[in-house]
Amino acid sequence: MATYECPTCGAEFDSRRGLGVHHSRVHDERLPNRECDHCGEEFYCEYERKYCGDHCREKAVSFAGENNPNYTGGKSKSTCEICDETFEYYESEKPGLYCPDCVENEQWRDPPVITGSDHPRWNGGTVTVTCDECGVTVERYPNQITGEVTFCSPDCQYAWLSDAFTGDGHPNWAGGGVGPYGKGWNAVREAALERDGYECVLCGMTADELGRNPDVHHIVPVRAFVATPVLTERDAHTLDNVVSLCPSCHRRAEFGHVSREALRWRAGLAGPANGRQACGSKTVASPSSSAL
């Protein structure tokens, strides 16, 4: 039976495995189990390995030419279309047309013509159009003519919009007002201002503070009278249906933020109530909040 002798202490073992375990435990060193394919030196490695190190692997394995894993046939030869010199190049999706010297020389490169009809987006050039506001003829590219009307300048555009979006041309047009207030309006307006002392009945803002007379507001709108078959706008012009308001309070009343009862009471057209109402920096007595 073959025996295996420990190279360090000379002990003999019946198997190579037993020798290896002994040497590892007793001498704290693993015995070689591989032989380098390049230099023949023995070495230890837990997994399959052909070379003892990278230096032997680099010397034994070549990555040049066909031995390179990315090799695709090497260089091809071609003739430069500019200088007729033969040159080598690596083949790719594009053919070799120019040698390296000519590629580096930018003088041979003719920039592409992309003006006028040679532009890839050419669609006929400018066209002559007439401004829909002032009638002046101007040049425009087709992509600049996108709407139903054309203008020569922003000023003409603004002027056209001012006219076109007035009255029934405005997208929010809802039929307009009731027209002129008719006879009797001027007289009842003056009477309401005198009765209210030329002051806003809600906040007390005076004509001197406003720089003009207050507005005169219909408590029941004129449109409500016009909508009734037996009445006209003149029937709305009565002193008990109008009050003097500053522009701020007038807006609040128009949008329903002040009740009709509150307006009548402030103008002295109804009985008193409790509470206070504020407008701007002034605070005055007003009907109770339930009336607003």
Side-chain angles (χ1 to χ4, degrees), residues 97-274:
L97 302 179
Y98 312 111
C99 67
D101 293 337
C102 289
V103 169
E104 293 178 2
N105 181 12
E106 296 183 0
Q107 294 179 356
W108 65 270
R109 300 180 183 178
D110 296 326
V113 179
I114 56 174
T115 58
S117 59
D118 293 318
H119 196 281
R121 295 184 180 178
W122 171 260
N123 58 3
T126 60
V127 294
T128 301
V129 293
T130 302
C131 176
D132 288 298
E133 177 63 23
C134 68
V136 174
T137 57
V138 292
E139 297 290 329
R140 290 286 187 272
Y141 286 102
N143 66 324
Q144 296 174 325
I145 307 174
T146 56
E148 298 179 356
V149 291
T150 305
F151 307 103
C152 63
S153 66
D155 291 338
C156 281
Q157 179 184 9
Y158 303 151
W160 181 86
L161 288 172
S162 178
D163 293 336
F165 283 78
T166 300
D168 58 1
H170 197 280
N172 294 330
W173 172 259
V178 296
Y181 278 171
K183 295 180 178 180
W185 166 240
N186 289 334
V188 74
R189 178 178 179 276
E190 289 296 331
L193 289 172
E194 291 180 5
R195 180 198 65 195
D196 299 333
Y198 294 89
E199 294 181 358
C200 175
V201 299
L202 288 179
C203 69
M205 186 77 69
T206 66
D208 292 338
E209 292 173 323
L210 288 173
R212 63 176 180 83
N213 287 332
D215 300 337
V216 176
H217 170 70
H218 287 85
I219 299 174
V220 178
V222 177
R223 59 180 176 273
F225 288 83
V226 176
T228 305
V230 297
L231 300 175
T232 66
E233 67 272 4
R234 186 170 183 177
D235 294 311
H237 308 331
T238 59
L239 196 57
D240 59 351
N241 191 43
V242 291
V243 292
S244 302
L245 298 174
C246 68
S248 178
C249 291
H250 195 177
R251 284 193 297 272
R252 295 175 58 234
E254 288 286 356
F255 284 98
H257 298 307
V258 184
S259 69
R260 295 176 182 177
E261 291 76 9
L263 293 173
R264 289 192 178 96
W265 176 78
R266 300 304 252 129
L269 305 176
N274 297 322

Side-chain angles (χ1 to χ4, degrees), residues 54-75:
D54 291 340
H55 59 286
C56 283
R57 182 176 179 274
E58 292 175 357
K59 293 179 180 179
V61 180
S62 174
F63 292 98
E66 297 179 357
N67 294 322
N68 194 301
N70 295 325
Y71 182 76
T72 57
K75 291 184 177 181

